Amino acid sequence: MSPRAAAWLIAAASFASVVAALVAQHGFGMQPCPWCILQRIVFLLVGLVALLAALGGGLLRRLLGLLIVPLALAGAAAALYQHFVAAKSTSCDLTFADRLIRGLRLDSLLPAVFEVRGSCADAAVDLFGVPFEFWSLALFVLLAAGAVVLVRGAPR
């Protein structure tokens, strides 16, 4: 796969994951916690960076690929934190995710996408027997792996 195609695929997968989360929220009543919203933010950031990489060339694409890797790993860390720590808590109030969302004012700018509507314990939902945040984790790992294609460049 060419680096440009990989960038387009990373962008599409990132944006599609947010669309899927919004369908789950608004269509099926799965209310997001702060850590869910934080993962949405990271998916959108990865998608935007990948979009720039798809539109850019050689060195720029590689540099943007280098940026995607830590973003995707941060998203993976958020998914793991959500599952192993936050979901065991009755309140996500004043956690890093909650403070970041409030600090950026995303919840008031675009509440349909970024407003926290559930607690971390309530957001612990399975999809096909797998915790929702593990689906997110898997996608973040795949996005990081895809970013390696951007960093390595076209095969010679």
Side-chain angles (χ1 to χ4, degrees):
M1 173 180 299
S2 76
R4 185 176 306 272
W8 283 114
L9 187 59
I10 290 168
S14 297
F15 295 136
S17 70
V18 175
V19 170
L22 291 170
V23 168
Q25 175 184 342
H26 297 290
F28 299 101
M30 294 174 64
Q31 299 307 312
C33 72
W35 291 94
C36 299
I37 299 295
L38 178 61
Q39 290 168 69
R40 286 182 192 179
I41 293 168
V42 176
F43 277 125
L44 290 172
L45 288 173
V46 168
L48 288 172
V49 172
L51 188 60
L52 291 173
L55 297 172
L59 179 60
L60 177 62
R61 187 176 301 124
R62 288 179 180 192
L63 291 173
L64 292 171
L66 282 173
L67 180 57
I68 290 171
V69 173
L71 282 171
L73 294 176
L80 288 169
Y81 185 88
Q82 177 184 350
H83 181 77
F84 290 109
V85 179
K88 313 286 189 264
S89 172
T90 55
S91 173
C92 305
D93 214 17
L94 302 177
T95 64
F96 170 76
D98 190 54
R99 285 181 285 158
L100 179 70
I101 294 161
R102 287 183 185 170
L104 294 174
R105 301 183 46 94
L106 293 173
D107 53 343
S108 59
L109 291 172
L110 198 54
V113 178
F114 298 116
E115 183 177 52
V116 174
R117 298 180 181 203
S119 73
C120 292
D122 293 338
V125 178
D126 288 356
L127 180 65
F128 304 118
V130 177
F132 207 71
E133 61 273 15
F134 280 1
W135 290 103
S136 180
L137 170 66
L139 183 54
F140 279 124
V141 170
L142 289 173
L143 294 173
V148 171
V149 173
L150 302 181
V151 174
R152 293 181 76 194
R156 298 181 198 262

